[in-house]
């Protein structure tokens, strides 16, 4: 495993990291999570991603239990949480968004669920049009000065919104956001590569990128239908199934995935490993957050690192053409 600086910070994150969206508490219990974290630590992973909104906080509880059981030294790994969506089924207006109140309380609640004294990374999970940017920046700055958060950042904010937060912080001598958590994979490139280019250059924002397999689409497993044990078959994820497969957009994406298979075969690897390795070619990626519902998937995905040296200019051209 190699380690990359998170943007212009001194924090070194493992190139591959591990997240728990959909999986923890739904497909993965604490015992399985423990085995997965064991495989992650063995591989050199040092960052684990979570959010208040994942399974309404239950995902953080599972992660906290598994990390505690493994008993690794707290200074050897990083955990994150994200605030915005809330952790309640029918949230009160003060239990969602990026107000000072919710940003602060959600941080305290995440620390409790994860059983940690501080969050290494704390993200605004989406932008909040109802809260002035200055209020959120101040709230994050205060958490940093209190030692409850080490680095704060954004997720799926526009480049303009990120620039606004950075400028407000810098003008007021507050802690600016250090990282963004965007989607980035072979099928979803534009925002990362085009829209964010100026903010990487100007503000040195690091990135913890999500869905390297486009929720599993890039494994090729959806090409002949929807496997019963897959994310797209889960109750409550019909929206994802439609977006991934059962729509014009889904069909168009699947046609691209089909073209990926011979390239993986020619390299003697799997589409999953190829797709994950490809994300690491971009120097603006600080870490690629892996997802897995089983240990075997995680092990396959970790082996993507072996494929990275095979992605020469010719292969990259073939992938870009698709
Ligand atoms: P992926 O795109 O890699 O999808 C992971 C899913 O694909 C797995 O749970 C599994 O689902 C399937 N899969 C993974 N590997 C394999 C394999 N080798 N063979 C077959 N199927 C496989 O990543 P995620 O979408 O899970 O995102 C990763 C992390 O990023 C999340 O856990 C979360 O931490 C973060 N994230 C952040 C978001 C944000 O808004 N900030 C949004 C989304 C994710 P199954 O077996 O059920 O089919």
């Amino acid at each position: 495993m190699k380690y990359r600086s998170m943007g212009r910070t001194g924090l070194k994150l493992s190139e591959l990291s591990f997240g728990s969206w959909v999986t923890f508490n739904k497909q993965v219990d604490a015992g399985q999570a423990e085995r997965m974290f064991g495989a992650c630590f063995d591989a050199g992973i040092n960052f684990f991603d979570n959010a208040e909104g994942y399974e309404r906080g239950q995902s953080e509880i599972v992660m906290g239990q598994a990390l505690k059981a493994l008993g690794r030294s707290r200074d050897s790994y990083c955990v994150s949480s994200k605030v915005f969506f809330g952790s309640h089924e029918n949230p009160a207006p003060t239990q969602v968004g990026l107000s000072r109140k919710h940003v602060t309380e959600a941080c305290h609640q995440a620390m409790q669920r994860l059983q940690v004294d501080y969050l290494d990374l704390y993200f605004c999970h989406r932008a909040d049009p109802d809260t002035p940017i200055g209020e959120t920046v101040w709230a994050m700055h205060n958490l940093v000065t209190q030692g409850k958060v080490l680095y704060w950042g954004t997720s799926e904010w526009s480049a303009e919104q990120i620039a606004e937060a950075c400028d407000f912080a810098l003008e007021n001598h507050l802690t600016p956001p250090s990282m963004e958590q965007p989607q980035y994979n072979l099928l979803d490139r534009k925002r990362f590569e085009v829209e964010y280019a100026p903010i990487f250059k100007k503000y040195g924002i690091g990135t913890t990128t999500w869905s390297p397999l486009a929720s599993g689409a890039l494994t090729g497993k959806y090409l002949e239908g929807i496997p019963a044990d897959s994310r797209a078959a889960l109750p409550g994820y019909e929206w994802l199934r439609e977006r991934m497969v059962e729509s014009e957009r889904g069909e168009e994406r699947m046609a691209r995935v089909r073209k990926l298979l011979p390239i993986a075969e020619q390299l003697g690897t799997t589409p999953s490993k190829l797709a994950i390795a490809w994300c690491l070619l971009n120097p603006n990626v600080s870490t690629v957050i892996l997802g897995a519902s089983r240990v075997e998937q995680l092990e396959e995905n970790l082996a993507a690192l072996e494929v990275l040296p095979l992605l020469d200019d010719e292969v990259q051209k073939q992938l870009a053409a698709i």
Side-chain angles (χ1 to χ4, degrees), residues 78-95:
C78 301
V79 290
S80 74
S81 183
K82 305 184 206 88
V83 54
F84 178 77
F85 291 109
S87 56
H88 294 82
E89 191 167 353
N90 295 304
T94 52
Q95 292 174 326

Side-chain angles (χ1 to χ4, degrees), residues 19-21 23 27 49 54 82 125-126 155-156 181 209-216 219 221-222 229-231 272 289-294 297 300-301:
S20 61
W21 178 54
T23 54
Q27 299 166 295
D49 185 61
Y54 295 172
K82 305 184 206 88
H125 210 157
R126 293 291 181 268
S155 180
E156 291 296 338
Q181 185 166 130
T209 62
W210 59 267
S211 285
L213 297 175
S215 265
T219 64
K221 69 202 255 181
Y222 293 107
D229 60 353
S230 66
R231 178 178 291 184
S272 311
I289 313 176
L290 302 176
S293 66
R294 311 187 235 306
Q297 292 177 353
E300 177 183 348
N301 299 348

Side-chain angles (χ1 to χ4, degrees), residues 194-207:
V194 180
E195 183 184 331
Y196 285 163
I199 58 149
F200 293 144
K201 198 162 170 220
K202 184 165 179 192
Y203 303 104
I205 293 285
T207 60

Side-chain angles (χ1 to χ4, degrees), residues 250-315:
E251 278 173 24
E252 189 262 338
R253 285 159 73 88
M254 285 303 149
R256 291 176 198 266
V257 173
R258 203 175 289 284
K259 291 185 190 160
L260 194 67
L261 304 191
I263 301 183
E265 202 179 331
Q266 162 202 320
L267 293 172
T269 189
T270 64
S272 311
K273 289 194 247 185
L274 174 61
I276 291 166
W278 175 86
C279 298
L280 287 169
L281 291 170
N282 191 317
N284 290 314
V285 170
S286 312
T287 182
V288 172
I289 313 176
L290 302 176
S293 66
R294 311 187 235 306
V295 183
E296 301 74 44
Q297 292 177 353
L298 181 61
E299 281 165 352
E300 177 183 348
N301 299 348
L302 286 167
L305 294 176
E306 294 159 14
V307 177
L308 193 51
L310 308 179
L311 304 187
D312 58 19
D313 288 352
E314 186 46 42
V315 175

Side-chain angles (χ1 to χ4, degrees), residues 47 136 157 169 197-198 220 250 299 317:
F47 168 46
T136 304
W157 284 29
E299 281 165 352
K317 258 190 229 154

